Amino acid sequence: MESKQRCIIIGASHAAAQLAPVLRQRGWAGTISMISNEYYLPYHRPPLSKDYLAGIKSLEQMLIRSPEVYRKSNISISMGVTATSIDRANKQLILDDGASLEYDKLVITTGARVRKIDIPGSDLKGVFYLRNLNNAQKIKPFTGSDKRAVIIGGGYIGLETAAALRKLNMQVTVLEALPGILQRVTAPEVADFFSRTHREEGVEIVTNEQVIAITGDKKVASVECLSGADYPADIVIIGIGVIPNVELAAEAGLHIDNGIKVDEYARTNDVDILAAGDCTSHFNPIYQRQMRLESVQNAQDQASVVANTLCGKLKPYAALPWFWSDQYDLKLQIAGLCQGYTDIVIRGDIKGSRHFSVFYLQEDKLLAVDAVNSPQEFMLGKRLILQGNSMDAGQLADENIALRGLLASSPVTANA
Ligand SMILES: Cc1cc2nc3c(=O)[nH]c(=O)nc-3n(C[C@H](O)[C@H](O)[C@H](O)COP(=O)(O)OP(=O)(O)OC[C@H]3O[C@@H](n4cnc5c(N)ncnc54)[C@H](O)[C@@H]3O)c2cc1C
């Protein structure tokens, strides 16, 4: 391999921190440089709404890799700089400090940013979003025993934040505009389980509640809703989704389809520009559709595909998506994607216990599994999805029948 080749990675988070060292291990002999608009070495983002917010983990404990890994692999990281444009004709990356860097291969791992809410008062002191460490650090001084938090949005980030703030003994209200929490990502039965658990843990969950304004004199005082209700607040945290950071790619003429469009080798429509993680969309061969994922699994697995491609070892991306969410003593592990399901099968006691699993079927085909405190079901569920055999709902529900016994003897082909 040409030792003078220059690889630049834009962004330094889950995808980049996987890519750079793996690229070196696979034999990339040229330079590897990461450009980050944050001020920290790549860190695990999931604890921001979990153990970091609850004061259980520090930044040092959240670093994805130790500083030595980058040093030993001769990977440079420029922090606090933003890439502002890509000059594809001259193969140059332009930065906001005026520098222009030449590249042979460019990898875009710019991730996603929070979706902002456009209502009066959203810029008041005490109103926050949660995407990065800076956000979490600013939130911390507003937390504390008996303070009142209003969380706008009943998705995973909102609910994890609620659980973390309850650990700090705060009074927590979650406001959700839709008729139920987690509505877009899970079955009503699973959402009901999480609603009930949060209520048992002391969180007020209000659905069908549309926020119209945040009020206060300089600092937040309350959240006003269309229903006329008014929720007092010392702090407001907004978690209403994210938007992929595709502008840099779009302005450079790369194809966008709800994310930077990449092929199975993580290549864009420019042979010298690749992309990975939350900012991309790809065709998933298991579900046979184009998709953009927001998960650590996808960021890491796609980054490994980039490393292979850059080293000339073409290996298509065909991983089963999986996610997790930690709330209180609950570990929810999700294998696959449930969109398009026609039936669900519940294995275990969803109404009276804190461990069970829910299987999502499209006719007799298993699409996804939500496993709560049931790691075995999660692991076996992944394998059952990948095998793609027709499933019997009665057998899945019957806890006397071992899931392992439902696995066919044929080997699984995709990367689970
Ligand atoms: C609070 C929270 C909790 C989460 N919990 C979970 C979980 O439990 N499980 C799970 O699977 N996933 C979880 N996620 C999602 C997961 O963190 C993301 O899927 C993952 O971070 C994606 O990694 P990435 O490298 O693609 O992008 P990102 O992590 O978004 O990183 C992109 C980086 O690029 C930088 N950047 C963007 N544009 C530029 C530019 N022009 N120049 C320089 N730098 C730039 C950004 O600032 C950022 O540092 C959570 C996310 C958050 C915020």
Side-chain angles (χ1 to χ4, degrees), residues 55-72:
I56 296 166
K57 268 195 176 154
S58 64
L59 169 59
E60 289 67 37
Q61 293 168 309
M62 287 173 17
L63 291 181
I64 297 176
R65 299 183 188 274
S66 70
E68 292 81 67
V69 171
Y70 305 104
R71 196 175 38 76
K72 281 188 187 153

Side-chain angles (χ1 to χ4, degrees), residues 10-17 35-38 43-50 81-84 95 109-114 130-132 156-157 160-161 242 245 248 276-279 293-300 322-326:
I10 313 172
S13 182
H14 285 278
I35 305 295
S36 172
N37 61 8
E38 293 197 63
Y43 55 88
H44 290 279
R45 233 167 259 279
L48 293 178
S49 53
K50 308 177 183 82
V81 272
T82 301
T84 51
L95 307 182
T109 66
T110 47
R113 61 182 180 276
V114 291
L130 183 51
R131 179 71 194 176
N132 57 38
Y156 286 123
I157 302 281
E160 290 175 359
T161 303
V242 296
N245 289 321
L248 204 56
D278 280 17
C279 64
L293 297 167
E294 292 160 15
S295 76
V296 169
Q297 167 273 321
N298 176 61
Q300 291 182 337
W322 58 265
F323 314 84
W324 77 93
S325 176
D326 298 331

Side-chain angles (χ1 to χ4, degrees), residues 37 40 86 93 155 193 214 232 252 258 290 306 316 357 367 380 409:
N37 61 8
Y40 314 94
I86 301 166
L93 181 69
F193 166 80
I214 302 173
N258 179 34
Q290 191 74 19
V306 171
S357 43
L367 293 181
L380 292 168
S409 44

Side-chain angles (χ1 to χ4, degrees), residues 6 15 26 42 53 73 84 116 136 138 152 159 166 194 248 284 310 335 347 362 370 384 412:
R6 294 151 299 187
R26 298 270 197 279
L53 199 57
S73 302
T84 51
K116 297 266 171 110
K138 286 185 184 152
I152 301 175
L159 295 178
R166 280 300 296 144
F194 277 97
L248 204 56
N284 185 293
L310 288 177
R347 186 179 172 95
Q362 192 173 50
D370 287 351
L384 287 169
V412 171

Side-chain angles (χ1 to χ4, degrees), residues 260-318:
I260 303 166
K261 198 170 177 186
V262 291
D263 67 10
E264 65 268 51
Y265 304 110
R267 298 176 299 204
T268 68
N269 53 306
D270 180 325
V271 287
D272 296 315
I273 306 183
L274 298 90
D278 280 17
C279 64
T280 65
S281 83
H282 70 281
F283 183 82
N284 185 293
I286 301 165
Y287 292 94
Q288 288 289 305
R289 62 185 153 89
Q290 191 74 19
M291 58 178 65
R292 189 177 70 75
L293 297 167
E294 292 160 15
S295 76
V296 169
Q297 167 273 321
N298 176 61
Q300 291 182 337
D301 288 350
Q302 219 174 22
S304 296
V305 171
V306 171
N308 284 336
T309 303
L310 288 177
C311 293
K313 299 166 188 150
L314 293 186
K315 231 178 140 188
Y317 183 43

